């Protein structure tokens, strides 16, 4: 059995529930290879063609250039290739909601714990919107390894994660290309203690220090994503991946500050792994409140987990989970309120090490969000399944619990947030989450502005109209930053993976041999050097740069699993064509024939 599930699309889109079936590993895929050869042996005159979707250069130049490089190389080996450039909301809709693509080039958000790969690749998530297995991959061995790593601890878990990475490298449902560096521009006159990647998370804002007054007046940041100011809904269907601004407004029980997850809204927690299921008893901090003055209690916490797992609140036969946090909330089998400030979560057979991921979802005010469980009108959001109002609501005047609260919108490109003095960090606590953020935000207001491009965003910082850019800033602006004497270039590792994704429900792409051969057309080292201007790291795996990567998948000048067919960016066309012949394809007048 091939590893892609259905061999052909049975409907215009592949968004359907997975009923049954799983595929073989590549080692057992000889049947797939034989099927390819049998199909190729049929009389055929049509050239194989693949359609690539990505972003335009003014939105993401590296993605555009990677897509063009791939298209050129597909053409060189006889495959007809065309590229469609889409706005980011359109690309996300086609890839992450509707599943309408052959191949795409985009950035994938990475997680600090390997368990994020379960939502990306497990067959149980096939057909769900968001970063839930958009590739449609179904493979028994992969599913088992993804499940097993949740149940194991220490060295045993490492072995299971290595098995996941090795199977992913074999199957290539997507091609990991490079982890791009995070590039930002900052001014130092008003604020200090900027960090590399400093504003890629809410805690980065809390670590800033005002130069002269405490707190200072306004911190002004500028980015290029209009969704930052258009919608303040952390669980919207057209969701953002990073969610820094919404992360300042809505807070989790625990945050990752340094190594591991530590208490945030929670004062402390206690894990119990002795029974059949792993549970955690969470105690909230004292006197927590929402921005409207209502108390934040364990009832809000329990509501949040139930709501994120089913935004219909059980009113319909089929559940409608929130895609943004699906991987984390899928850990929670049950939630129980023990008292006004204590809640218990059941994370099934997951270990505490994995289960702590469930503590990092934003807690929502029950008195606001319970009214958003109705079926929604899909104004401007094209999906093929029902959604609730909660998933399309703009939430333009949010009520959260964070250190800043909604202030105003002076215009369509600007959002103003104000310091929330009742936040526990501003009131002072004996046990802050980390010493570096004990005082809360060191400014009275936060101004978030949207610019049309990275160049325009950096120019606002250069001109003194903004204090910093927020990620992602394209590498082509580095000279612009370097030429400004009072602006500092800051570079750090980003949580983004440039990759090439395949829809394995497309018949020809359902075969791992085809995907592996296409992967070998990409010179990852050349892409980092020439496309990312050296600001990134080529990678064979989505866990590059972490201690989880086994030695045989470590980058050592080339990809050990799918090495580039050529040298220094130059494709060896003859050798590449021979690889396609070896997996059963035929040529006619230099055209690779479709089946």
């Amino acid at each position: 059995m091939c590893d892609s599930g259905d061999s052909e699309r049975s409907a215009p889109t592949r968004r359907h529930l997975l009923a049954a079936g799983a595929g073989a590993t590549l080692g057992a895929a000889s049947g797939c290879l034989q099927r390819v050869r049998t199909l190729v042996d049929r009389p055929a005159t049509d050239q194989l063609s693949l359609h690539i979707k990505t972003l335009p250069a003014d939105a993401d130049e590296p993605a555009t250039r990677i897509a063009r490089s791939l298209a050129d190389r597909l053409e060189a080996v006889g495959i007809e290739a065309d590229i469609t450039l889409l706005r980011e909301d359109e690309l996300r809709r086609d890839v992450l909601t509707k599943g309408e693509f052959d191949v795409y080039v985009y950035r994938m958000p990475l997680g600090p714990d390997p368990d994020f790969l379960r939502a990306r690749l497990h067959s149980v998530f096939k057909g769900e919107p968001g970063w839930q297995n958009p590739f449609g991959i179904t493979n028994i061995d992969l599913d088992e390894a993804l499940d097993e790593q949740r149940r194991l601890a220490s060295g045993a878990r490492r072995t299971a994660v290595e098995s996941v990475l090795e199977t992913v490298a074999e199957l290539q449902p997507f091609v990991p290309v490079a982890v791009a560096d995070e590039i930002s521009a900052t001014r130092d006159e008003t604020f200090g203690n900027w960090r590399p990647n400093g504003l890629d998370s809410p805690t980065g804002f809390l670590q800033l220090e005002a130069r002269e007054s405490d707190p200072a007046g306004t911190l002004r940041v500028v980015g290029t994503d209009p969704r930052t100011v258009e919608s303040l809904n952390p669980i919207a269907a057209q969701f953002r991946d990073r969610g820094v601004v919404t992360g300042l407004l809505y807070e989790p029980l625990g945050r990752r500050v340094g190594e591991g997850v530590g208490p945030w809204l929670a004062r402390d927690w206690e894990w119990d792994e002795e029974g059949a299921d792993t549970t955690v008893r969470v105690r909230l901090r004292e006197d927590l409140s929402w921005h409207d003055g209502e108390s934040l209690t364990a009832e809000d916490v329990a509501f949040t987990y139930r709501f994120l797992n089913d935004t219909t609140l059980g009113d319909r036969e089929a559940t409608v989970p929130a895609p943004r946090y699906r991987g984390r909330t899928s850990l929670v089998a049950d939630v129980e309120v023990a008292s006004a400030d204590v809640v218990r979560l059941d994370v099934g057979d997951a270990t505490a090490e994995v289960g702590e991921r469930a503590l990092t979802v934003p807690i929502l005010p029950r008195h606001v969000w319970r009214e958003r469980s109705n079926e929604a009108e899909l104004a401007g959001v094209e999906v093929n399944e029902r959604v609730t109002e909660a998933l399309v609501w703009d939430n333009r005047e949010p009520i959260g619990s964070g250190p800043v609260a909604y202030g105003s919108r002076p215009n369509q490109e600007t959002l103003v947030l104000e310091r929330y003095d009742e936040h526990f960090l501003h009131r002072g606590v004996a046990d802050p989450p980390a010493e570096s953020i004990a005082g809360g935000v060191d400014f009275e207001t936060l101004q978030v502005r949207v610019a049309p491009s990275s160049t325009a965003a950096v120019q606002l910082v250069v001109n003194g109209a903004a204090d910093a850019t927020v990620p992602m800033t394209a590498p082509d602006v580095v000279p612009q930053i370097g030429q400004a004497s009072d602006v500092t270039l800051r570079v750090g590792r980003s949580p983004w993976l440039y990759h090439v994704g395949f829809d394995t429900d497309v018949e020809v792409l359902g075969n791992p041999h085809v995907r592996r051969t296409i992967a070998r057309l990409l010179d990852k080292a050349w892409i980092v050097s020439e496309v990312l201007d050296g600001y990134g790291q080529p990678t064979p795996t989505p866990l590059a740069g972490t201690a989880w990567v086994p030695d045989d998948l470590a980058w050592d000048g080339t990809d050990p699993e799918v090495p580039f067919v050529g040298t220094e960016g130059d494709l060896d066309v003859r050798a590449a064509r021979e690889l396609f012949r070896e997996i059963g394809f035929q040529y006619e007048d230099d055209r690779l024939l479709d089946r």
Side-chain angles (χ1 to χ4, degrees):
M1 180 184 291
C2 293
D3 71 279
S4 61
D6 299 330
S7 61
E8 296 181 355
R9 293 176 186 263
S10 56
T13 69
R14 69 169 179 83
R15 292 298 171 189
H16 53 272
L17 294 176
L18 178 64
T25 61
L26 182 59
S30 59
C32 289
L33 182 56
Q34 182 59 46
R35 179 167 168 270
V36 170
R37 287 175 173 155
T38 300
L39 289 169
V40 171
D41 286 341
R42 296 176 183 173
T45 57
D46 291 337
Q47 184 180 17
L48 176 62
S49 64
L50 291 174
H51 187 64
I52 304 170
K53 294 186 177 182
T54 193
L55 298 172
D58 59 356
D60 191 332
E61 183 176 2
T64 307
R65 293 182 63 187
I66 293 169
R68 287 175 176 164
S69 175
L70 176 61
D72 289 345
R73 291 163 188 217
L74 289 171
E75 292 278 359
V77 298
I79 299 173
E80 184 180 31
D82 63 88
I83 300 174
T84 297
L85 302 177
L86 300 170
R87 295 196 319 265
E88 189 160 14
D89 61 328
E90 294 174 331
L91 180 67
R92 296 172 72 91
R93 177 200 64 200
D94 284 5
V95 171
L96 302 181
T97 302
K98 300 176 71 175
E100 292 183 345
F101 65 94
D102 295 340
V103 182
Y104 72 87
V105 178
Y106 192 38
R107 305 180 310 271
M108 177 193 298
L110 303 177
D113 186 279
D115 189 59
F116 85 89
L117 289 171
R118 187 173 183 273
R120 298 286 188 280
L121 297 164
H122 199 293
S123 62
V124 72
F125 293 106
K126 180 179 179 180
E128 292 193 17
W131 285 110
Q132 279 62 252
N133 196 356
F135 322 105
I137 194 76
T138 61
N139 180 273
I140 291 174
D141 291 340
L142 182 56
D143 285 353
E144 289 179 349
L146 288 164
D147 289 337
E148 187 176 35
Q149 61 83 29
R150 281 192 159 185
R151 299 189 292 263
L152 302 175
S154 303
R157 187 186 182 211
R158 180 177 300 279
T159 300
V161 171
E162 290 179 356
S163 177
V164 169
L165 296 179
E166 288 165 355
T167 304
V168 172
E170 283 187 316
L171 296 176
Q172 294 285 314
F174 62 90
V175 184
V177 177
V179 177
D181 287 342
E182 202 86 278
I183 298 170
S184 61
T186 65
R187 301 185 69 91
D188 300 332
E189 298 97 330
T190 308
F191 292 92
N193 203 32
W194 300 100
R195 312 286 181 90
N197 302 35
L199 300 186
D200 70 347
S201 70
T203 55
F205 287 81
L206 297 171
Q207 292 173 323
L208 293 178
E209 297 175 353
R211 290 291 192 192
E212 297 178 358
S213 59
D214 183 15
T218 300
L219 171 65
R220 305 161 302 166
V221 300
V222 58
T224 58
D225 186 352
R227 293 169 300 171
T228 304
V229 300
E230 290 172 356
S231 171
L232 295 176
N233 181 347
I235 65 171
Q238 295 297 90
F239 51 88
R240 58 190 61 76
D241 288 318
R242 194 180 297 266
V244 177
V245 172
T246 54
L248 285 167
L249 293 164
Y250 294 94
E251 301 178 295
L253 296 173
R255 281 198 196 279
R256 191 170 294 272
V257 181
E259 297 296 326
V261 175
W264 193 267
L265 287 177
R267 180 175 179 178
D268 52 41
W269 53 62
E270 182 179 355
W271 289 95
D272 182 359
E273 298 182 84
E274 297 299 322
D277 288 347
T278 299
T279 61
V280 57
R281 179 183 184 274
V282 180
R283 181 172 57 150
L284 298 177
R285 294 183 184 275
E286 296 179 358
D287 300 324
L288 294 174
S289 65
W290 299 106
H291 294 153
D292 61 359
E294 294 284 333
S295 295
L296 190 164
T297 71
E299 291 287 351
D300 294 298
V301 176
F303 164 81
T304 295
Y305 285 97
R306 292 167 184 154
F307 191 65
L308 294 181
N309 271 324
D310 181 11
T311 56
T312 75
L313 294 177
D315 285 347
R316 280 171 249 164
E317 183 176 346
T319 62
V320 182
R324 174 67 176 85
Y325 300 98
R326 185 73 173 104
R328 282 173 267 183
T329 58
S330 68
L331 281 160
V332 179
D334 192 23
V335 58
E336 174 189 355
V337 174
S339 68
D341 64 346
V342 175
V343 65
R344 290 189 180 90
L345 303 179
D346 180 342
V347 297
D349 59 2
T351 62
E353 177 186 3
V354 175
E356 69 179 12
R357 293 188 67 230
L359 304 178
T360 62
V361 303
I363 303 304
L364 306 173
R366 177 175 176 267
H367 64 285
V368 174
W369 288 83
R370 64 184 171 186
E371 305 301 325
R372 303 293 176 177
S373 63
N374 298 324
E375 190 166 348
E377 295 290 333
L378 305 185
V381 180
E382 297 181 27
V383 295
N384 297 322
E385 52 202 327
R386 294 178 303 173
V387 300
T388 57
E389 186 180 349
L391 299 179
V392 297
W393 178 36
D394 281 342
N395 192 28
R396 292 182 64 82
E397 297 186 11
I399 296 172
S401 64
V404 296
Y406 173 77
S408 63
R409 280 188 174 81
N411 53 60
Q412 290 185 335
E413 292 78 34
T414 307
L415 170 70
V416 176
L417 305 178
E418 300 175 349
R419 175 184 164 105
Y420 180 56
D421 288 330
E422 295 304 310
H423 190 268
F424 67 86
L425 287 176
H426 298 153
R427 290 187 282 112
V429 291
D431 52 349
E435 190 62 33
S436 62
I437 56 179
V441 295
D442 214 4
F443 47 82
E444 288 290 352
T445 59
L446 170 63
Q447 181 190 86
V448 183
R449 186 171 175 179
V450 177
S453 66
S454 292
T455 299
V458 169
Q459 195 59 45
L460 288 171
V461 178
V462 171
N463 294 342
D467 299 304
T469 60
V470 291
M472 313 188 36
T473 301
D476 61 357
V477 300
V478 170
Q480 182 185 3
I481 299 172
Q483 291 167 7
S485 59
D486 50 356
V487 176
T488 301
L489 169 67
R490 301 190 185 276
V491 180
R493 183 180 175 85
S494 82
W496 297 98
L497 174 71
Y498 277 103
H499 67 292
V500 176
F502 301 110
D503 184 349
T504 63
D505 282 345
V506 174
E507 185 175 26
V508 69
L509 297 176
N511 186 277
H513 296 279
V514 175
R515 300 193 298 268
R516 287 172 61 86
T517 305
I518 292 175
R520 296 194 62 183
L521 303 180
L522 293 166
D523 187 343
K524 299 178 182 182
W526 179 87
I527 288 171
V528 168
S529 174
E530 301 300 320
V531 175
L532 297 177
D533 295 333
Y535 290 98
Q537 301 80 39
T539 177
T541 160
L543 295 184
T546 72
W548 297 97
V549 179
D551 291 342
D552 59 351
L553 284 179
W555 180 266
D556 187 19
T558 188
D559 190 311
E561 187 69 28
V562 284
F564 173 59
V565 188
T567 56
E568 298 183 354
D570 292 327
L571 180 69
D572 186 333
V573 175
R574 179 176 296 180
R577 290 187 173 213
E578 185 58 32
L579 289 176
F580 281 99
R581 290 190 180 95
E582 288 176 3
I583 62 172
F585 282 92
Q586 295 177 350
Y587 280 90
E588 181 180 281
D589 298 329
D590 289 331
R591 299 179 306 150
L592 191 71
L593 299 184
D594 197 358
R595 341 197 235 289

